[in-house]
Amino acid sequence: MTLIILGLGSSALAQTYNTFEPSKTQFMLRGYGHTGFEYLDTGGEQESTFLGATFAPIFLYKHSDKLMFEAELEFELEGNELKTGLEYADVMYVLNKHMTVRAGKFLLPFGTFMERLHPAWINRLPSRPLGFGHDGIAPASDIGVELRGAFDLGGPKMNYAVYVTNGPRIKDGSEEPEEAGMLDFGYYEDVNLAKALGGRIGLLPLSDSSMEWGISAYTTNSTGAEDSDYKDVGAFLWALDLSYVKSITPLQGVVDIKAQYNSSNVDTATYYEIEDGISEPYSFDNQSSSFYTQLSYRPIMSGSDFIKQLEFVGRYSDFNAPEGAEWEEKSTQYAFGLNYWLSWRSVVKLSYQTTKMEGGHDSDGTTRTNGLFVHWAIGF
Amino acid sequence: MKTTTNFKAAIILSVMASIMVACSSNKKPIATDTATEVAGSEVDFKIEKSGAQLWGEVCNRCHIAPSPADYNDTDWETISLHMRVRANLTEEEITKIETFLKSAN
C-alpha cells in the first residue's frame, strides 16, 4: 500500500514538474516607462511641472523559432487626458538566414533614431532631437510590409530593409491652415491608391561593429486624396545616419556618437490662406531638413563604483522648415546632460537644453526656450 | 547656418571616407598563429568571435548590454528573436549572443 501511494505521488510530482518545462510557444511582456520634472523658460514666460508617468508595454508572442508577433502600446498623460497609441503591431517571419518579412504597423527604418534609439530608457537625453516626433519631418511608423536582413561580409557587415506602406497624407490647410503643405505621417488610413516605398542600407565597415553608416530613402507619388487637387503631390525623403560606439582604454570609458541628417522634398502645390475673408492662393518650395549629432561618454573603467555609473551627454540639433510656408521655421538646439545608470535599463537623467527658434506657426519672431529636465526611465 | 553647413559637409565627407575604407580594406580577421595555418594552403582562417564578445559589441550599439541574469533561458529565446529583427542582426550574431546569455544567467 505504501509503495502504491509513493508511486502515485512520484507520478503526480513528475507531471507537476513537466508543467514547468518551456513551451514551444512563448509569451512575454516587456516595455518601458518614464516620469520626471521639467522647468521651461520661454522668452521670460516660465512654467514648471512634474510629468505624468508614461507607460509603454511591449507584447512579444513567439509562435516558433521563426514566427513572432510584437506590439507596443503607449499610455501617456497629456494634461488631464490619457493619450493612448499603438506604436507598432506586426507579425514577422524569418524566411532564411538573410531575410525576414514583417507585416502590420512597424517602426520605419528611416535613419536609426525612431526605430532603435527613441525609447526613454535608450535615448540618452529626456527630449528628442529637432525634426523628430510631432511636426517632425522624419517618418516614424506606418502600415505595410517589409523585408529586412543582414550579411556578414567577412568582418564588415551589411544590413538592409525595404518596405512598402500606405504612405503619408499631405495637410491641405482645410483643417489647420497654418500647417498647409506639411506631411502627416501619423495619418495611417490610405487616402489614395499610391503607396510609399522606402528602405535603408546599413554598413558596418569595422570588424568589431563599432561603426555603422546608414543611408535611407522614402518616396511616394501621391500624398493627397484621390479626388483632391493634391493627388499628384509626391514626396521624396532621404537620410544619412552614423553610429560609433567604442570602449577606449586611454579614456577609461565608452564613447558613443550618434548622428542623423534628414531631408524632405515635397512637390510644390498651391495652398490657400484666408485674409480679410478672402481666400488668397500661395505656394512655396516645400523642402525641409533636420540634423542632429550626439556625443556621450561613460567612464566605465573608473575605479569608483559611483563614477562608472555616470554618463555625460551633449547634443546639437537643427530643423529648417520651408521658407514661405505658414510653418516656416529655423531652429537650433543644444542639450547637455548628466545621467546616472542605476542598472543597464534604468537611468536618471538631468539635462539642460536651450532652443532658438525663428518663425514657427506659434510665433513670427525669434523665440528662445531654456529648459531644465530631470527624468527617470526604466526598461523592463 | 555656417555651423550647420559644416556639420552636414562633415557627415557627407565621413560617409564617403567610410565607404572608401570599407571598399579598399583588405584586412580580414585572420588567425596569425602559425599553428592554425595549413601548410601549402592559402586558405584564410577567420577568428570566430565568442558570444560574450558579440554581446559586448552588438548590444552596446544602441543600449547598455543586458545582464544575462535578468531573464531565464525561455525569455532570452523570445528576446533574441525580437532583437534579431529590431536591430537587423546577422543569424550568427544573435545565435552566439543567445547561447552566451543562456549559459551565463
Side-chain angles (χ1 to χ4, degrees):
Chain A
M1 186 64 181
T2 306
L3 285 174
I4 293 172
I5 292 172
L6 282 174
L8 289 172
S10 63
S11 174
L13 186 66
Q15 287 175 4
T16 304
Y17 178 79
N18 283 338
T19 62
F20 291 102
E21 288 182 354
S23 57
K24 184 180 175 186
T25 59
Q26 296 157 12
F27 178 79
M28 195 175 180
L29 178 62
R30 296 196 68 197
Y32 60 94
H34 62 101
T35 186
F37 174 82
E38 293 183 356
Y39 170 82
L40 294 172
D41 184 327
T42 307
E45 190 175 320
Q46 297 154 347
E47 57 179 312
S48 70
T49 181
F50 285 101
L51 298 169
T54 298
F55 171 50
I58 297 173
F59 303 90
L60 302 177
Y61 171 67
K62 181 170 171 284
H63 183 81
S64 71
D65 290 342
K66 293 186 174 183
L67 180 61
M68 170 176 266
F69 175 81
E70 60 171 8
E72 179 181 329
L73 296 175
E74 281 185 324
F75 298 93
E76 183 179 9
L77 275 176
E78 275 195 354
N80 294 316
E81 300 291 327
L82 176 63
K83 181 183 166 191
T84 60
L86 181 64
E87 181 93 345
Y88 57 82
D90 59 77
V91 60
M92 61 178 78
Y93 185 80
V94 179
L95 294 169
N96 57 50
K97 65 187 298 185
H98 300 302
M99 188 180 288
T100 298
V101 61
R102 286 202 297 183
K105 183 171 190 269
F106 50 86
L107 296 173
L108 296 179
F110 186 80
T112 54
F113 184 81
M114 289 310 295
E115 186 189 35
R116 302 180 188 176
L117 306 173
H118 84 277
W121 71 277
I122 296 176
N123 186 5
R124 300 302 204 262
L125 286 162
S127 62
R128 293 175 180 177
L130 297 175
F132 295 93
H134 183 66
D135 289 353
I137 61 169
S141 64
D142 205 351
I143 301 170
V145 63
E146 178 201 54
L147 285 175
R148 61 166 48 207
F151 294 89
D152 188 336
L153 305 177
K157 296 181 183 68
M158 192 200 84
N159 57 66
Y160 71 93
V162 290
Y163 54 86
V164 55
T165 64
N166 283 340
R169 178 190 70 156
I170 196 163
K171 294 184 178 181
D172 60 8
S174 59
E175 295 173 7
E176 297 170 294
E178 71 278 10
E179 294 187 351
M182 191 182 284
L183 292 179
D184 184 0
F185 293 103
Y187 195 86
Y188 298 105
E189 182 181 335
D190 205 351
V191 296
N192 51 44
L193 295 175
K195 301 290 178 278
L197 299 171
R200 176 182 179 274
I201 293 175
L203 177 66
L204 294 89
L206 307 178
S207 61
D208 65 359
S209 299
S210 58
M211 179 185 284
E212 179 174 4
W213 286 104
I215 184 166
S216 309
Y218 178 97
T219 185
T220 180
N221 290 329
S222 175
T223 56
E226 274 301 304
D227 56 352
S228 76
D229 294 338
Y230 304 96
K231 179 191 171 189
D232 295 327
V233 176
F236 176 74
L237 295 82
W238 60 275
L240 286 175
D241 61 82
L242 162 71
S243 171
Y244 181 73
V245 182
K246 182 82 172 174
S247 180
I248 300 176
T249 304
L251 295 178
Q252 297 281 294
V254 174
V255 171
D256 186 334
I257 299 171
K258 297 282 190 294
Q260 184 169 330
Y261 174 76
N262 304 315
S263 176
S264 169
N265 301 278
V266 181
D267 292 344
T268 302
T270 301
Y271 306 96
Y272 298 89
E273 59 181 348
I274 307 295
E275 283 195 9
D276 301 326
I278 301 172
S279 180
E280 296 282 349
Y282 72 102
S283 65
F284 54 90
D285 188 12
N286 198 345
Q287 295 191 35
S288 309
S289 66
S290 72
F291 173 77
Y292 91 92
T293 182
Q294 177 180 291
L295 169 66
S296 67
Y297 166 69
R298 284 190 298 126
I300 59 168
M301 298 176 207
S302 166
S304 164
D305 287 340
F306 175 78
I307 292 176
K308 67 171 58 169
Q309 304 300 325
L310 294 177
E311 182 174 38
F312 304 88
V313 194
R315 185 184 72 200
Y316 166 84
S317 64
D318 64 37
F319 175 54
N320 297 297
E323 194 174 338
E326 292 284 307
W327 41 288
E328 175 183 346
E329 174 185 335
K330 291 187 188 303
S331 297
T332 55
Q333 182 185 83
Y334 293 89
F336 306 95
L338 176 63
N339 300 335
Y340 183 79
W341 287 91
L342 299 164
S343 72
W344 63 273
R345 53 185 171 174
S346 179
V347 58
V348 177
K349 311 177 204 174
L350 170 66
S351 81
Y352 172 77
Q353 180 176 295
T354 181
T355 308
K356 180 184 175 187
M357 181 172 76
E358 295 175 36
H361 49 257
D362 293 331
S363 163
D364 290 330
T366 300
T367 308
R368 184 174 288 280
T369 303
N370 300 321
L372 186 66
F373 306 84
V374 182
H375 279 208
W376 187 356
I378 182 168
F380 56 86
Chain B
M1 284 303 292
K2 191 176 179 182
T3 307
T4 308
T5 307
N6 288 341
F7 271 125
K8 290 168 186 171
I11 199 169
I12 290 168
L13 287 171
S14 300
V15 168
M16 295 169 65
S18 181
I19 291 171
M20 287 170 66
V21 167
C23 294
S24 61
S25 174
N26 290 320
K27 283 186 179 176
K28 288 183 179 176
I30 299 169
T32 53
D33 185 352
T34 51
T36 62
E37 292 177 0
V38 178
S41 169
E42 294 184 353
V43 175
D44 292 338
F45 286 92
K46 180 181 169 185
I47 295 175
E48 295 295 333
K49 290 188 178 182
S50 68
Q53 194 175 357
L54 289 170
W55 164 76
E57 290 177 359
V58 175
C59 304
N60 278 313
R61 284 176 3 211
C62 294
H63 55 75
I64 295 176
S67 167
D70 281 346
Y71 297 103
N72 61 32
D73 289 3
T74 308
D75 288 344
W76 280 127
E77 290 172 9
T78 306
I79 293 169
S80 295
L81 182 55
H82 173 64
M83 290 311 303
R84 172 182 179 171
V85 179
R86 181 78 177 261
N88 229 353
L89 308 179
T90 64
E91 184 182 62
E92 183 185 17
E93 284 175 324
I94 199 61
T95 301
K96 286 189 172 183
I97 291 170
E98 180 186 327
T99 302
F100 162 71
L101 290 166
K102 289 163 70 174
S103 70
N105 62 3

